[in-house]
């Protein structure tokens, strides 16, 4: 049998077994500087090196060693028929005379294992890089836009200097959203990370302190040979300040598709030669291919340090232009675009690896060329080590906005509680305009990504109106979502908005609230006005019905669901909306998003029981009574689940246990949470029923409204305009 055919059957584990068995012997050779596994590199000028005339291994081995010129990464490449081998990098190329004089210093051409397996080697000349070789690689950092994402340069001040790197992508651990980059870029916990926007330095967030440097190879890849070896991961997380300023797209690459999941069972030699591309914060667009796997680049105290892969230039490509500042870059497979029939111009790419470093390989004399190669760790390894997942626009379980499940659930269930029966049929027919169908919610299949044409109305105030995106901005929207009912006037005056309401419900009035905030010296953009936002929308519904404009009425009723949902969440009614101090920061998203999302099934079952046979609430008349009904809902919410009780419960849970955290919190506050949400469902249905009754409007035909009509309404800033509290005083 031809040796080439025999070697072609070798697998990745075979190569790793051989290298591990010989690693002491190889690294004791005086010229050996590194090893990797891959496929045999064929010199470009070698006779028969084209794909139609493959070289016979027997012929290759028949040549006396040292007769050929040095093989380098620049003058050779992998051919489709190249056989598996162990790559051995040397800093001195021995010619025939040197080998004859010192045969023991020659790298063995074959490695023999005790069970009879035979693995060839491929020697690559990689001399030391001449001094000053990096001088021609100046970094010009990329700051593409004011919307942050993968491919964006980031900066950190370290020991009096400035360190630069690149954001890979947005990830989540199910509780919080992070930007993924290298550990050495993010820095220690609490390190402020910035970028540049329009020439100004802008803060992105702080290093989360959640990072990984190296992992024992056998832990990262169980079953593969790697004794006394560690694989470099170098991954760290930045806890971002404002998720609304981040996109899931990678600049210059496109939208992320499913991650390439690599492990002992899925990684093979077929990965070698795979074309890849990236956008580095220093280099911009980059292309290359996977050149080698498990590159052993350093030895310390008998432990070998490995890179998952080396990315180098493609055949016919002079270089891979990576440089300092690209650390953290995400490399994706460069695959042909799938023909989905979609008119969406944003390409989709499968993420493969996280770049953490580079290596310069010099060519042979007399005119050595220096070529940079990227050292990467597989993204699946990094994500598993950090216990995070990439966020994509098409991932129904990983969203960038808080509280979607709660808002959509309230909007969906309220449709079944509307009175009379004919109006209920109309709202049920429009359930998927307000929210999602109940089965989709229970299965966690809701989605409101940027690629969607239509956003269900119940979360438009978050997913559309609060987004910092050209054409969507409503700068006065935020105060609509809360009211700190428990915040006293001062340390000496315990009066709160809730205590005022308890004494006299007539204090639920914009002018009274505005005077209260003025006495507290609260800035106008921080004066919560939640009940008056609902009153405003209630009036729009009634007026639209009086004008016969049913779609406008449905649009206002649908977005009303969001604010009623806020009113039945304890932390939207409290000055402790995200904890009583810095140590409790994060409770808001942990409770309202992570816990509710993780416990969707239990929530659905609990709400079904809570709403079964629920009696309709008494209707109201006029926008003032609508505002009063919202404050009454807030009061009931605070009594059912006091913010202090919720915070005390959160403090007792193990927040380092990502998977068990939501379960612990649900066990403590799940029952009152169900009661609060059920109350919100009943209140919302009552407000819808009241508006139709007040307008004297008949129930429309049970048909869904054209989503394009609704989208045109909510995209219009003049529809239900977002205003500050003093503006409500004028026309109350």
């Amino acid at each position: 049998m031809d040796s080439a055919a025999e070697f072609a059957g070798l697998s990745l584990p075979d190569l790793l077994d051989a290298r591990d068995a010989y690693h002491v012997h190889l690294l004791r050779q005086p010229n050996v500087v590194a090893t990797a596994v891959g496929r045999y590199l064929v010199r470009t000028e070698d006779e028969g090196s084209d794909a139609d005339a493959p070289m016979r291994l027997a012929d290759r081995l028949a040549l006396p060693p040292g007769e050929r010129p040095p093989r380098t990464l620049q003058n050779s490449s992998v051919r489709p028929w190249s056989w598996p081998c162990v790559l051995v990098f040397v800093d001195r190329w021995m010619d025939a005379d040197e080998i004859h004089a010192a045969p023991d210093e020659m790298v063995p051409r074959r490695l023999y294992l005790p069970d009879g397996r035979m693995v060839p080697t491929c020697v690559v000349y990689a001399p030391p890089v001449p001094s000053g070789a990096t001088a021609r690689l100046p970094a010009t950092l990329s700051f593409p836009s004011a919307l942050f994402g993968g491919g964006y340069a980031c900066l950190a001040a370290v020991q009096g200097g400035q360190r630069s790197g690149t954001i890979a992508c947005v990830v989540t651990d199910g509780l919080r959203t992070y930007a993924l980059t290298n550990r050495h870029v993010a820095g220690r916990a609490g390190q402020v990370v910035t970028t540049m926007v329009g020439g100004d330095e802008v803060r992105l967030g702080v290093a989360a302190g959640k990072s990984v440097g190296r992992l024992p190879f056998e832990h990262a890849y169980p079953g593969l040979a790697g004794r006394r070896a560690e694989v470099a991961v170098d991954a760290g997380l930045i806890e971002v300040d404002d998720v609304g300023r981040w996109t899931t797209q990678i600049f210059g690459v496109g939208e992320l598709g499913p991650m390439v999941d690599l492990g002992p069972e899925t990684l093979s030699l077929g990965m070698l030669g795979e074309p890849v591309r990236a956008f580095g914060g220093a280099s911009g667009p980059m292309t290359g291919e996977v050149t080698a796997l498990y590159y052993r680049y350093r030895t310390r105290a008998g432990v070998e340090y490995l890179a998952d892969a080396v990315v180098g230039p493609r055949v016919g490509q002079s270089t891979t232009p990576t440089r300092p500042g690209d650390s953290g870059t995400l490399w994706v497979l460069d695959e042909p675009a799938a023909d989905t029939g979609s008119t969406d111009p944003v390409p989709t790419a499968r993420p493969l690896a996280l770049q953490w470093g580079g290596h310069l390989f010099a060519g042979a004399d007399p005119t050595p060329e220096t070529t940079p190669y990227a050292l990467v760790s597989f993204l699946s390894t990094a994500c598993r080590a950090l216990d995070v997942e990439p966020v994509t626009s098409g991932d129904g379980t990983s969203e960038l906005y808080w509280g979607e499940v709660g808002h959509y659930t309230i909007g969906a269930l309220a449709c079944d509680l509307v009175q009379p029966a004919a109006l209920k049929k109309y709202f049920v027919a429009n359930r998927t305009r307000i929210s999602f169908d109940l089965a989709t919610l229970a299965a966690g299949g809701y989605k409101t990504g940027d690629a969607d044409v239509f956003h269900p109305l119940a979360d438009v105030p978050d997913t559309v109106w609060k987004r910092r995106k050209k054409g969507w901005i409503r700068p006065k929207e935020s105060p609509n979502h809360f009211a700190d009912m428990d915040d006293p006037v001062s340390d000496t005056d315990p009066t709160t908005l809730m205590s005022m309401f308890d004494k006299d419900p007539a204090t639920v009035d914009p002018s009274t609230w505005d005077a209260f905030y003025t006495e507290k010296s609260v800035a106008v953009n921080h004066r919560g006005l939640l009940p008056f936002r609902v009153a405003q929308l209630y009036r729009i519904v009634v007026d639209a019905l009086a004008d016969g404009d049913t779609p406008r009425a449905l649009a206002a009723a649908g977005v009303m669901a969001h604010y009623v949902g806020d009113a039945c969440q304890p932390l939207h009614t409290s000055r402790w909306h995200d904890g009583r101090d810095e140590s409790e920061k994060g409770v808001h998203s942990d409770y309202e998003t992570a816990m509710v999302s993780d416990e969707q099934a239990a929530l659905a079952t609990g709400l079904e029981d809570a709403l079964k046979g629920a009696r309709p609430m008494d209707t109201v008349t006029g926008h003032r009574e609508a505002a009063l009904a919202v404050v009454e809902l807030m009061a009931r919410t605070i009594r059912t689940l006091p913010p202090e009780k919720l915070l005390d419960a959160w403090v007792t849970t193990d927040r380092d246990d990502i998977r068990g955290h939501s379960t612990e919190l649900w066990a403590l506050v799940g029952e009152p949470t169900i009661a609060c949400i059920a109350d919100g469902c009943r209140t919302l249905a009552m407000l819808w029923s009241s508006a139709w009754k007040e307008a004297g409007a008949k129930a429309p035909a049970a048909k869904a409204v054209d989503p394009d009509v609704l989208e045109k309404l909510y995209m219009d800033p003049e529809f239900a305009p977002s205003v500050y509290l003093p503006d409500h005083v004028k026309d109350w």
Side-chain angles (χ1 to χ4, degrees), residues 536-624:
Q536 175 195 20
L537 291 165
Y538 180 91
R539 184 157 48 184
I540 292 172
V541 176
V542 173
D543 292 346
L545 291 173
D547 293 338
D549 191 347
T550 306
R552 187 178 186 85
L554 180 67
V559 296
M560 184 194 297
H562 185 95
Y563 304 104
V564 174
D566 284 338
C568 66
Q569 296 292 350
L571 297 180
H572 278 270
T573 66
S574 175
R575 67 187 187 274
W576 296 320
H577 67 282
D578 201 23
R580 289 165 290 202
D581 53 44
E582 282 297 314
S583 69
E584 294 177 354
K585 185 176 176 59
V587 62
H588 192 126
S589 58
D590 284 1
Y591 170 70
E592 186 174 310
T593 298
M595 186 198 76
V596 173
S597 298
D598 291 343
E599 299 295 334
Q600 290 173 56
L603 176 64
T605 301
L607 286 172
E608 182 181 1
D609 293 340
L611 295 174
K612 190 179 299 180
R615 297 179 57 186
M617 299 174 67
D618 293 338
T619 57
V620 298
T621 303
H623 64 280
R624 294 180 180 84

Side-chain angles (χ1 to χ4, degrees), residues 338-569:
D339 184 8
T340 62
S342 171
T343 58
D344 186 355
V346 179
T348 300
R350 299 172 64 201
L352 174 70
L354 180 71
Q355 180 172 338
W356 53 264
H359 193 99
L360 289 171
F361 287 98
D365 292 332
T367 56
E369 296 180 358
T370 301
T371 303
Y373 284 68
L375 303 182
V376 303
S377 57
F378 292 131
L379 184 63
S380 54
T381 302
C383 286
R384 181 165 66 89
L386 292 171
D387 200 8
V388 296
E389 291 295 327
V391 178
T392 69
S393 67
D395 183 359
T397 62
S398 300
E399 300 290 346
L400 292 181
Y401 310 102
W402 288 359
E404 285 176 300
V405 174
H407 290 301
Y408 286 139
T409 298
I410 291 169
L413 293 179
C415 294
D416 294 316
L417 304 176
V418 176
Q419 295 288 332
L423 185 60
K424 171 184 173 180
K425 290 180 181 179
Y426 172 73
F427 272 91
V428 169
N430 282 281
R431 194 195 313 268
T432 56
R433 302 295 184 260
I434 297 170
S435 177
F436 291 88
D437 63 78
L438 299 177
T440 299
L441 283 173
Y446 59 90
K447 179 173 90 67
T448 54
D450 285 352
D452 291 345
V453 175
F454 177 74
H455 291 244
L457 297 168
D459 215 30
V460 159
D462 268 357
T463 62
V464 179
W465 291 347
K466 287 175 70 176
R467 288 295 304 274
R468 290 177 172 84
K469 189 170 181 179
K470 186 177 180 181
W472 290 14
I473 296 177
R474 288 197 178 206
K476 297 182 179 181
E477 173 60 26
S478 292
N480 290 318
H481 296 250
F482 71 93
D484 294 344
M485 305 299 291
D486 58 2
D487 196 10
V489 172
S490 66
D491 293 339
T492 57
D493 185 350
T495 303
T496 64
L497 292 173
M498 186 58 75
S499 69
M500 290 165 53
F501 163 74
D502 289 337
K503 291 181 179 179
D504 182 5
T507 57
V508 180
D509 181 285
S511 60
T512 304
W513 279 37
D514 200 42
F516 174 85
Y517 284 126
T518 299
E519 187 175 356
K520 280 179 58 61
S521 299
V522 176
V524 68
N525 60 322
H526 291 156
R527 298 183 180 187
L529 52 93
L530 178 54
F532 308 117
R533 178 58 157 171
V534 174
Q536 175 195 20
L537 291 165
Y538 180 91
R539 184 157 48 184
I540 292 172
V541 176
V542 173
D543 292 346
L545 291 173
D547 293 338
D549 191 347
T550 306
R552 187 178 186 85
L554 180 67
V559 296
M560 184 194 297
H562 185 95
Y563 304 104
V564 174
D566 284 338
C568 66
Q569 296 292 350

Side-chain angles (χ1 to χ4, degrees), residues 134-142 164-166 184 280-286 319-329 331 355-360 372-374:
T134 60
R136 62 186 180 88
L137 297 175
T140 54
L141 300 180
S142 172
S164 64
T166 302
H184 75 266
S283 300
M286 298 187 289
T319 186
T320 302
T322 185
R323 63 192 70 190
D326 290 333
S327 293
T329 295
W331 287 86
Q355 180 172 338
W356 53 264
H359 193 99
L360 289 171
Y373 284 68

Side-chain angles (χ1 to χ4, degrees), residues 220-308:
Y221 300 100
L224 296 183
R227 293 170 297 174
R228 297 185 62 78
E230 295 180 354
V231 61
V233 181
D234 196 357
L237 301 178
I238 302 168
E239 185 168 355
V240 303
D241 289 342
D242 185 354
V243 294
R245 299 193 68 172
W246 289 79
T247 175
T248 56
Q249 293 184 22
I250 310 301
F251 190 82
V253 172
E255 194 66 69
L256 290 186
M259 177 172 57
V260 181
D261 190 11
L262 297 175
E265 298 81 14
T266 56
L267 181 60
S268 72
L269 295 173
M271 181 57 63
L272 294 164
E274 278 288 342
V276 291
R277 59 191 173 95
F279 190 95
S283 300
M286 298 187 289
T287 58
E289 66 178 31
V290 179
T291 300
L293 298 175
Y294 300 131
Y295 173 63
R296 277 185 169 166
Y297 61 93
R298 184 177 300 157
T299 302
R300 288 290 182 268
V303 176
E304 308 294 331
Y305 294 171
L306 276 63
D308 274 337

